[in-house]
Amino acid sequence: QYGAFQGGFQSQGILYGAEFETSGTMLSHLREQNPLCSVCHVSGKGSQVMIPAYKTCPPSWTLQYHGYLMTAHYAHAGRTKYICVDSSPDVAPGEGADSNGALLYFVEAACGRGLACPPFDQNKELTCAVCSR
């Protein structure tokens, strides 16, 4: 729904769709596909947390799903939010287009840059878990 608007492109903020950039990875079949958005709502659960680098939840928490930590490319300015993408993600119907809007890449650790390795390994994609209680 729109409110009052000025017709024409104002060149201020732009809303892009997202697409997977996963070539050469275990999810390469998703390359250029558009992920579907989801909302995690669990009746009777008051708290939700996304835990990077884990596929399981702490004791007394319930696992809603696990997957891979994804974000924009480190050299792309502006987008810095990390999201947990389900390990078997759904994609929007239709063929994926290489529109280069909001691109999602796997996240890997940068050892020696304030991050202890081990336990991290900079040559592996980071997992994540979404937990509730």
Side-chain angles (χ1 to χ4, degrees):
Q1 297 176 334
Y2 291 95
F5 65 92
Q6 174 67 41
F9 182 65
Q10 308 306 314
S11 146
Q12 295 160 354
I14 301 173
L15 177 66
Y16 290 102
E19 68 186 66
F20 289 113
E21 288 294 327
T22 55
S23 60
T25 71
M26 63 280 183
L27 296 179
S28 60
H29 65 283
L30 295 175
R31 185 174 187 274
E32 311 301 350
Q33 297 295 315
N34 302 83
L36 292 176
C37 294
S38 65
V39 175
C40 187
H41 172 77
V42 182
S43 297
K45 306 281 186 178
S47 300
Q48 175 187 320
V49 64
M50 188 271 286
I51 305 173
Y54 279 84
K55 297 191 311 184
T56 59
C57 297
S60 80
W61 288 78
T62 301
L63 178 68
Q64 297 304 317
Y65 69 91
H66 68 86
Y68 293 96
L69 199 60
M70 298 186 87
T71 193
H73 192 278
Y74 67 90
H76 296 173
R79 297 180 184 101
T80 58
K81 186 168 184 167
Y82 293 86
I83 61 172
C84 186
V85 175
D86 192 285
S87 57
S88 298
D90 292 324
V91 295
E95 63 180 87
D98 189 10
S99 59
N100 290 326
L103 305 177
L104 294 174
Y105 293 87
F106 287 106
V107 174
E108 296 179 354
C111 296
R113 297 183 182 182
L115 190 64
C117 296
F120 295 102
D121 183 335
Q122 68 184 21
N123 296 315
K124 295 179 181 173
E125 291 77 14
L126 291 175
T127 56
C128 54
V130 174
C131 308
S132 63
R133 73 171 178 181

